[in-house]
Amino acid sequence: MSTLDRFLPVWIIAAMAAGLLLGRAVPGLDGALSKVEVGGVSLPIGLGLLVMMYPVLAKVRYDRLDTVTGDRRLMASSLALNWLVGPAVMFALAWTFLPDLPAYRTGLVIVGLARCIAMVVIWNDLACGDREAAAVLVALNSVFQVLAFGVLGWFYLAVLPGWLGLATDDLHFSTGKIVVNVLVFLGVPLLAGYLTRRVGEKRRGHAWYEDRFLPRVGPVALYGLLFTIVVLFALQGRTITSRPADVARIALPLLVYFAVMWGGSFALGRAVGLPYPRTATLAFTAAGNNFELAIAVAITTFGVTSGQALAGVVGPLIEVPVLVALVYVSLWLRARAHTRA
């Protein structure tokens, strides 16, 4: 694990601080960014979002889908946890903890719909999980997300609250716009990542692609994430500094979510008889979220300075240290199982 990845929480906190300082130093920054837009999205932020998505999807081994799909216990558990349990848990927590803050609540629901990719592979490696299984689950969830995100967004943001009698008069959004944003900010880098691997391996070979190309392009994802966080916090600075209690309220359901999803998934893996490596993979792919996509959807749908975008930005601040801590919990459980054996 590189120094860049190992100190990710430090870089994220530093990016947030830099953004706050930048927002204070350049009060007209939001107006400057809004002058350069494409389809209602600030061009600098849109490019930053695409940059942080592409390297992760270029790492996926698209040719190995069949190496794990034969494990029906793993596949069924992963799909159920990611697309049935995860969104429902986040929906319940968002409405429980933020009933009076609809913008933040919606942002959390979007985070819950953005399923595992990106940093999940790193957490899985640190916890000695099954690397190939993680790669396959990441690939499948990435493809499934392109197809399912818009439908689930419509269901959890518009349909289910009405069924449950929850007031949503203060929520206005376009389901079609969410679908378009997912297709752009996930579909485009997914296609680019697939074509890059296919063309790169065909022309230069697998060894060159894995050992030379990926190490060079990999850090770009983090640079894109940090750039986006700097700009977002520059625009959200006054809200953050004037409403620290709101930020704390966003953080609390996220803490509960990661603990519930990881703990429940790990217990399920053991209950269905998966070995430790695949149990760890199941737990981290179920608990980890694609906060890059969540930020992209929140920004392009609700605006850069929206409460939904702030909720998305708080996501990685909480997720990174929590999942690092869960890596150590996972390794402790692994050592304990070996001792008993």
Side-chain angles (χ1 to χ4, degrees), residues 53-69 116-118 121 131-144 146 186-201 206 209-210 213-214:
M53 294 293 290
Y54 163 71
V56 175
L57 294 168
K59 293 180 179 180
V60 175
R61 292 295 305 271
Y62 298 97
D63 59 335
R64 293 191 175 180
L65 295 180
D66 59 344
T67 62
V68 179
T69 52
C116 73
I117 65 168
V121 176
R131 182 174 298 175
E132 294 303 326
V136 170
L137 293 181
V138 163
L140 290 178
N141 278 287
S142 298
V143 174
F144 198 84
V146 174
L186 181 59
V188 170
L190 177 62
L191 178 61
Y194 171 78
L195 292 176
T196 300
R197 176 173 284 279
R198 181 161 184 172
V199 174
E201 289 188 342
H206 175 75
Y209 189 86
E210 291 287 339
F213 178 75
L214 288 183

Side-chain angles (χ1 to χ4, degrees), residues 147-166:
L147 304 174
F149 193 102
V151 175
L152 290 176
W154 167 74
F155 177 74
Y156 279 103
L157 295 175
V159 176
L160 186 56
W163 288 355
L164 298 177
L166 302 173

Side-chain angles (χ1 to χ4, degrees), residues 76-153:
S77 298
S78 179
L79 290 175
L81 288 167
N82 272 291
W83 299 105
L84 296 178
V85 179
V89 169
M90 187 66 89
F91 174 86
L93 291 173
W95 276 95
T96 299
F97 286 92
L98 302 171
D100 57 330
L101 296 171
Y104 300 152
R105 184 180 67 230
T106 299
L108 284 186
V109 172
I110 291 174
V111 171
L113 297 177
R115 306 310 304 167
C116 73
I117 65 168
M119 296 301 294
V120 166
V121 176
I122 293 178
W123 312 138
N124 181 73
D125 279 354
L126 290 175
C128 299
D130 188 318
R131 182 174 298 175
E132 294 303 326
V136 170
L137 293 181
V138 163
L140 290 178
N141 278 287
S142 298
V143 174
F144 198 84
Q145 194 151 241
V146 174
L147 304 174
F149 193 102
V151 175
L152 290 176

Side-chain angles (χ1 to χ4, degrees), residues 7-316:
F7 292 101
L8 181 59
V10 176
W11 310 139
I12 289 179
I13 293 174
M16 292 175 176
L20 292 175
L21 293 175
L22 184 62
R24 294 288 184 179
V26 188
L29 183 62
D30 54 346
L33 289 174
S34 64
K35 292 180 180 179
V36 187
E37 291 187 348
V38 176
V41 181
S42 169
L43 184 58
I45 293 180
L47 292 175
L49 295 170
L50 289 172
V51 165
M52 69 184 180
M53 294 293 290
Y54 163 71
V56 175
L57 294 168
K59 293 180 179 180
V60 175
R61 292 295 305 271
Y62 298 97
D63 59 335
R64 293 191 175 180
L65 295 180
D66 59 344
T67 62
V68 179
T69 52
D71 190 337
R72 295 184 179 180
R73 294 173 300 174
L74 177 64
M75 295 300 299
S77 298
S78 179
L79 290 175
L81 288 167
N82 272 291
W83 299 105
L84 296 178
V85 179
V89 169
M90 187 66 89
F91 174 86
L93 291 173
W95 276 95
T96 299
F97 286 92
L98 302 171
D100 57 330
L101 296 171
Y104 300 152
R105 184 180 67 230
T106 299
L108 284 186
V109 172
I110 291 174
V111 171
L113 297 177
R115 306 310 304 167
C116 73
I117 65 168
M119 296 301 294
V120 166
V121 176
I122 293 178
W123 312 138
N124 181 73
D125 279 354
L126 290 175
C128 299
D130 188 318
R131 182 174 298 175
E132 294 303 326
V136 170
L137 293 181
V138 163
L140 290 178
N141 278 287
S142 298
V143 174
F144 198 84
Q145 194 151 241
V146 174
L147 304 174
F149 193 102
V151 175
L152 290 176
W154 167 74
F155 177 74
Y156 279 103
L157 295 175
V159 176
L160 186 56
W163 288 355
L164 298 177
L166 302 173
T168 58
D169 294 338
D170 47 6
L171 175 62
H172 303 282
F173 68 96
S174 168
T175 302
K177 193 171 184 179
I178 290 180
V179 174
V180 171
N181 292 334
V182 173
L183 290 175
V184 172
F185 290 103
L186 181 59
V188 170
L190 177 62
L191 178 61
Y194 171 78
L195 292 176
T196 300
R197 176 173 284 279
R198 181 161 184 172
V199 174
E201 289 188 342
K202 183 177 181 180
R203 292 186 176 181
R204 303 294 295 273
H206 175 75
W208 173 87
Y209 189 86
E210 291 287 339
D211 301 334
R212 300 286 297 279
F213 178 75
L214 288 183
R216 291 179 181 178
V217 75
V220 174
L222 180 54
Y223 299 147
L225 173 63
L226 295 178
F227 168 79
T228 304
I229 288 177
V230 168
V231 176
L232 286 174
F233 270 75
L235 299 176
Q236 295 274 12
R238 296 188 182 279
T239 301
I240 294 170
T241 55
S242 63
R243 300 178 181 176
D246 286 0
V247 175
R249 289 188 62 183
I250 295 171
L252 185 57
L254 285 169
L255 287 170
V256 176
Y257 171 83
F258 292 129
V260 169
M261 287 302 298
W262 188 90
S265 301
F266 199 96
L268 176 62
R270 302 306 292 168
V272 299
L274 293 176
Y276 169 82
R278 293 200 167 182
T279 295
T281 298
L282 178 67
F284 282 102
T285 53
N289 286 82
N290 183 357
F291 49 77
E292 298 95 333
L293 178 63
I295 292 172
V297 171
I299 290 174
T300 53
T301 305
F302 300 100
V304 175
T305 59
S306 65
Q308 291 87 347
L310 177 61
V313 172
V314 173

Side-chain angles (χ1 to χ4, degrees), residues 305-331:
T305 59
S306 65
Q308 291 87 347
L310 177 61
V313 172
V314 173
L317 176 64
I318 305 302
E319 177 174 348
V320 171
V322 168
L323 290 188
V324 168
L326 290 174
V327 166
Y328 289 100
V329 174
S330 186
L331 292 173

